Amino acid sequence: MAEVQLTVKIDTHDVALKQKLANLPKKPGIYQYKNSEGKIIYVGKAKNLRNRVQQYFHNPRKLDTKTRSLVSKISDLELIVTDSEVEALILEAVLIKKFKPKYNIFLRDDKSYPYIVVTSEPFPRIFVTRRIIHDGSKYFGPFTDVKNLRASLKMIHDVFKVRSCNYHIDDEIIRKQKIRVCLDYHIKKCEGPCAGIVNQENYNRMIKEVVQVLRGKTGALISELVKEMQELSAAFKYEEAADRRDKIRGLQNYNERQKVVDADLMDRDIFAIASEDDDACGVVFKIRDGKIIGRQHFYMNAVEEVDEREIVSQFVRRFYLEAEYIPKEIFLPCNIEKIGTIEKWLSEKRLSKVSIIVPKIGDKAKLVAMCRANAKYLLDDLKIQKLKRREKIPKILELLQKDLRLPRLPHRIECFDVSNIQGTDSVASLVVFENGKPKKSEYKRFKIKTVTGSDDFASMREVVKRRYSRLIEEEQKPPDLIMVDGGKGQLSSAVEILKHLSDTEYRNIPIIGLAKRLEEIYFPNLSEPQSILKTSASLKLLQRIRDEAHRFAVAYHRKLRTKRILHTELDLIKGVGKKNAKELLETFGSVQGVKFASQEQISEIVGEKVAEKIEEYYINEGEDSKNQE
């Protein structure tokens, strides 16, 4: 893809605007609008960049409210010129996903739902995961119905002899005979790839059959297996023929449970959306061989005043940006712009013709209507959940917002505490409270890496920088309030770091310090601490959060200190390695336990020579103690 970047400064009040825009190229590409802070607020594509970009500025009165708001905030324009309109189409979807611009439609996919993964190992494994790793593995799903997921996985392990172990198996591992066959092999649930009983070619042939099933091509696989069974039977290979027969029966039972919704028995994806106010829900039905094998949905926001055709277009492009399989036909609820361009892109990706159809009547239109009904149901459910969340907001958050004069309700509060004793084992903790309750799954512990000694202020700067630099890098939403356990010094250290963060939203997070001595609250812009009524529920919440951060930090500090003390004495004994030390501690429970164990007991664990050295060390230690007295 040939890329040329041009930057044109735009001032919407400048009378020379037309002259500036006249320099835009008449080529396909991407345009990115930026605000006064240099942040990308909109990404768009165009067949002719000059014509498309100038449309925003010719007659603002003809623009809708949202677009007028966008234009009023444009301070900079960056272009990426591409070789074709198809390249612009792909690049637009990639950039929207990467930058999440404020004025683009943003899709929140259902990442919380599980997938079935077929790993990219020499002898692949098949299991359930919620985490997608781009390492060449194949992912099927997501499964919104866990019952359906379990049924699919059970069928795979009943019909196919896929290994269930977690070992990495390759030719070298097999050659060295590092793994023995397990019970699964003996009960004919696995073919024993770990011991080289089945070779890589035959094992992967079976995995390809599993992939066919997961793609919904069960009927085609059954036909292939029937043909193989007949050929093997004719060749008097009855045992292998019986294996194919058992597979066929298992697949037929599974196939019969799937509902036929399309008499054409084709592969199709059916798209539909439902929108209300600023929210929308898009649904995709995946139909393979005429049967629905899965449903995937996305929630979208920033859709108010956006035409249905544009929502559908964005939905389709984003969906197929990462789709593992593209069918021959795609049904849409309405016509969209650039259908030909999208068809060309998908055809190139599939390596064969893809047709986009908008059914108007008959059974095909009914499929789209069924898909739309599902989208409407899911959108209504989203609205209900939002309403429930609003109703569940504790009153204490409203009181805390008032007492601290916060710009918004502090739904998410993050609190830091630093812990050390005489400058050793310096650590810090981060606790997270959501809607007034601890969210322990998101607690974090930090080992202080860049600070020597007991410098709480420098330690606070380090952990705040590490925490929020990472959140910015991962493009996560900032908390509503940051707390630090301490007074003016700790607060100033945290504020100093926040001021230098790259993201404006993070630089403006409200932050306070809560000192233990008088339970006073420190604010960044006030020289004197402020007080909240001692009986106030909001102060009690802040105290609880602060105390939880302190508890978590002290617990981690104690763990590290104990670990260091336990291992130091054994490490001092020459000839006792880490492995021996670990075995001794596991056997005798502590260093004291080792110290008072007999030489015979120790020698059973680590041998006579090491036992003699340990015995000699503690004898000498006792003599040294007497001399000191």
Side-chain angles (χ1 to χ4, degrees):
M1 183 185 294
E3 297 186 1
V4 180
Q5 296 203 13
L6 306 171
T7 302
V8 182
K9 288 291 179 183
I10 294 179
D11 179 2
T12 53
H13 303 289
D14 190 346
V15 294
L17 179 61
K18 289 184 180 180
Q19 293 178 350
K20 295 177 183 179
L21 296 177
N23 294 322
L24 296 171
K26 296 180 179 180
K27 292 184 177 181
I30 297 299
Y31 54 95
Q32 301 173 70
Y33 292 142
K34 298 181 179 181
N35 61 15
S36 57
E37 295 173 349
K39 189 172 183 178
I40 296 173
I41 56 175
Y42 187 79
V43 175
K45 68 179 184 315
K47 185 177 181 179
N48 184 317
L49 283 167
R50 182 177 180 179
N51 292 347
R52 183 70 187 99
V53 173
Q54 287 181 345
Q55 286 177 3
Y56 286 88
F57 306 99
H58 277 165
N59 193 347
R61 292 182 180 179
K62 290 185 177 180
L63 302 174
D64 57 51
T65 307
K66 182 178 177 181
T67 309
R68 282 201 300 273
S69 175
L70 164 65
V71 172
S72 69
K73 290 179 173 60
I74 297 172
S75 294
D76 188 31
L77 166 67
E78 187 175 292
L79 305 181
I80 301 178
V81 178
T82 60
D83 290 333
S84 68
E85 194 177 359
V86 172
E87 286 183 358
L89 189 83
I90 301 168
L91 187 56
E92 181 199 28
V94 170
L95 293 176
I96 289 173
K97 183 181 178 183
K98 180 179 179 180
F99 295 113
K100 302 179 179 64
K102 179 179 179 180
Y103 288 91
N104 282 103
I105 297 172
F106 178 57
L107 278 68
R108 307 190 305 277
D109 59 17
D110 39 14
K111 289 180 182 175
S112 62
Y113 291 115
Y115 292 77
I116 291 178
V117 59
V118 180
T119 63
S120 59
E121 299 167 282
F123 293 88
R125 293 174 294 137
I126 298 174
F127 56 88
V128 176
T129 183
R130 293 177 187 269
R131 184 182 175 197
I132 294 178
I133 303 172
H134 298 288
D135 60 353
S137 300
K138 294 182 174 67
Y139 292 84
F140 299 90
F143 287 83
T144 54
D145 184 351
V146 177
K147 186 178 178 181
N148 186 23
L149 168 69
R150 288 174 180 164
S152 298
L153 206 61
K154 183 178 184 302
M155 179 277 298
I156 289 168
H157 286 291
D158 286 347
V159 175
F160 301 95
K161 297 176 181 178
V162 180
R163 69 185 182 101
S164 60
C165 60
N166 293 325
Y167 296 117
H168 175 78
I169 303 173
D170 57 21
D171 293 338
E172 185 67 14
I173 297 291
I174 295 169
R175 186 181 66 78
K176 292 181 178 179
Q177 297 183 343
K178 288 195 169 186
I179 308 169
R180 294 181 181 179
V181 292
C182 63
L183 180 63
D184 279 0
Y185 171 75
H186 296 292
I187 61 174
K188 300 187 183 301
K189 288 283 187 180
C190 175
E191 294 185 319
C194 57
I197 298 170
V198 60
N199 61 36
Q200 190 171 331
E201 182 183 353
N202 288 335
Y203 185 89
N204 278 280
R205 187 182 300 120
M206 175 188 65
I207 294 297
K208 286 181 180 177
E209 292 176 352
V210 176
V211 169
Q212 272 188 278
V213 174
L214 290 172
R215 284 179 172 165
K217 310 302 290 181
T218 315
L221 178 58
I222 290 172
S223 300
E224 291 174 17
L225 291 172
V226 168
K227 186 178 178 182
E228 286 182 23
M229 181 183 69
Q230 291 170 345
E231 290 173 353
L232 290 166
S233 180
F236 305 108
K237 297 180 180 179
Y238 297 121
E239 190 173 339
E240 293 178 48
D243 177 66
R244 302 299 189 279
R245 179 203 62 202
D246 293 342
K247 277 187 182 180
I248 291 165
R249 286 176 179 172
L251 291 171
Q252 284 175 335
N253 289 336
Y254 175 74
N255 207 29
E256 285 169 3
R257 291 197 297 269
Q258 293 180 308
K259 182 182 177 183
V260 177
V261 295
D262 191 346
D264 292 348
L265 301 181
M266 283 187 65
D267 291 358
R268 293 187 172 108
D269 281 348
I270 316 292
F271 286 79
I273 65 160
S275 62
E276 184 178 333
D277 300 327
D278 203 38
D279 293 310
C281 179
V283 171
V284 186
F285 279 171
K286 300 175 182 179
I287 298 179
R288 306 293 180 260
D289 290 339
K291 298 173 182 177
I292 295 180
I293 66 161
R295 182 196 75 181
Q296 192 168 356
H297 69 272
F298 293 75
Y299 290 117
M300 296 168 262
N301 53 21
V303 301
E304 196 167 13
E305 297 187 26
V306 179
D307 186 72
E308 181 189 20
R309 293 174 298 176
E310 179 59 22
I311 300 174
V312 173
S313 177
Q314 291 275 4
F315 181 24
V316 171
R317 283 179 277 155
R318 167 68 190 279
F319 180 80
Y320 286 119
L321 189 64
E322 298 177 342
E324 193 269 335
Y325 175 75
I326 300 171
K328 289 182 180 180
E329 288 188 354
I330 296 166
F331 287 179
L332 301 183
C334 61
N335 279 304
I336 59 174
E337 292 184 1
K338 311 293 183 183
I339 277 189
T341 305
I342 296 174
E343 280 183 334
K344 185 180 178 183
W345 166 48
L346 295 177
S347 298
E348 289 174 359
K349 197 171 181 181
R350 177 185 161 85
L351 302 178
S352 64
K353 174 68 176 173
V354 174
S355 300
I356 296 178
I357 301 165
V358 182
K360 300 295 184 184
I361 56 173
D363 292 337
K364 295 175 181 178
K366 289 178 182 177
L367 282 174
V368 176
M370 182 171 68
C371 192
R372 192 193 297 272
N374 275 259
K376 181 69 170 64
Y377 167 77
L378 289 165
L379 182 62
D380 289 343
D381 186 59
L382 174 68
K383 294 286 186 184
I384 291 169
Q385 295 304 320
K386 280 188 173 183
L387 184 62
K388 283 182 178 179
R389 283 197 292 269
R390 283 197 293 270
E391 290 173 349
K392 283 184 179 180
I393 294 171
K395 294 291 183 183
I396 194 171
L397 295 188
E398 296 177 358
L399 182 60
L400 186 60
Q401 181 186 19
K402 181 181 177 182
D403 286 342
L404 300 182
R405 300 180 293 280
L406 300 174
R408 58 180 178 270
L409 279 171
H411 291 285
R412 184 182 177 92
I413 302 172
E414 297 189 354
C415 181
F416 294 90
D417 182 46
V418 173
S419 177
N420 66 73
I421 298 176
Q422 297 178 344
T424 63
D425 299 313
S426 291
V427 299
S429 69
L430 166 73
V431 299
V432 178
F433 273 58
E434 283 195 353
N435 289 332
K437 295 181 180 179
K439 192 170 185 180
K440 294 191 177 183
S441 61
E442 295 195 25
Y443 283 15
K444 303 292 180 188
R445 303 183 298 191
F446 301 87
K447 274 187 183 179
I448 303 302
K449 299 178 179 179
T450 62
V451 181
T452 304
S454 56
D455 189 340
D456 286 0
F457 301 159
S459 298
M460 184 64 72
R461 285 194 291 271
E462 179 188 323
V463 295
V464 170
K465 183 177 181 180
R466 283 166 60 184
R467 169 64 173 171
Y468 296 117
S469 295
R470 182 170 181 176
L471 289 192
I472 291 170
E473 184 181 332
E474 294 175 354
E475 299 181 348
Q476 293 190 33
K477 187 179 177 182
D480 301 306
L481 175 66
I482 298 174
M483 281 181 64
V484 297
D485 181 5
K488 197 170 183 178
Q490 285 88 347
L491 178 64
S492 299
S493 300
V495 170
E496 180 184 337
I497 293 300
L498 292 176
K499 283 181 179 177
H500 292 91
L501 292 176
S502 59
D503 190 284
T504 309
E505 197 173 4
Y506 278 84
R507 291 201 295 267
N508 295 323
I509 303 173
I511 180 169
I512 62 167
L514 181 60
K516 289 187 183 75
R517 191 167 64 89
L518 298 174
E519 303 294 6
E520 294 173 323
I521 297 173
Y522 287 83
F523 292 88
N525 300 320
L526 298 177
S527 57
E528 296 298 324
Q530 306 296 304
S531 296
I532 296 179
L533 191 65
K534 300 300 181 187
T535 57
S536 169
S538 60
L539 178 61
K540 292 186 184 302
L541 174 60
L542 294 178
Q543 289 171 332
R544 184 187 173 201
I545 297 170
R546 188 268 318 279
D547 293 344
E548 177 70 352
H550 182 67
R551 178 200 66 78
F552 194 53
V554 169
Y556 185 42
H557 178 271
R558 189 179 295 121
K559 180 180 178 182
L560 291 182
R561 184 167 172 269
T562 303
K563 186 177 179 182
R564 175 172 58 80
I565 292 170
L566 282 174
H567 287 275
T568 299
E569 192 166 19
L570 290 178
D571 289 342
L572 289 173
I573 304 173
K574 191 174 180 181
V576 179
K578 288 184 178 180
K579 185 178 178 181
N580 286 336
K582 183 181 178 183
E583 289 176 347
L584 289 167
L585 288 170
E586 287 176 351
T587 303
F588 298 108
S590 66
V591 172
Q592 287 293 96
V594 177
K595 183 176 181 178
F596 293 111
S598 68
Q599 187 174 336
E600 290 77 15
Q601 289 174 317
I602 295 172
S603 63
E604 289 179 5
I605 308 300
V606 294
E608 291 184 8
K609 288 185 179 179
V610 177
E612 286 174 5
K613 289 179 179 179
I614 293 171
E615 182 77 11
E616 183 183 346
Y617 173 83
Y618 283 120
I619 289 170
N620 293 335
E621 184 190 47
E623 291 176 355
D624 291 342
S625 297
K626 288 177 183 178
N627 293 334
Q628 287 175 9
E629 290 173 5

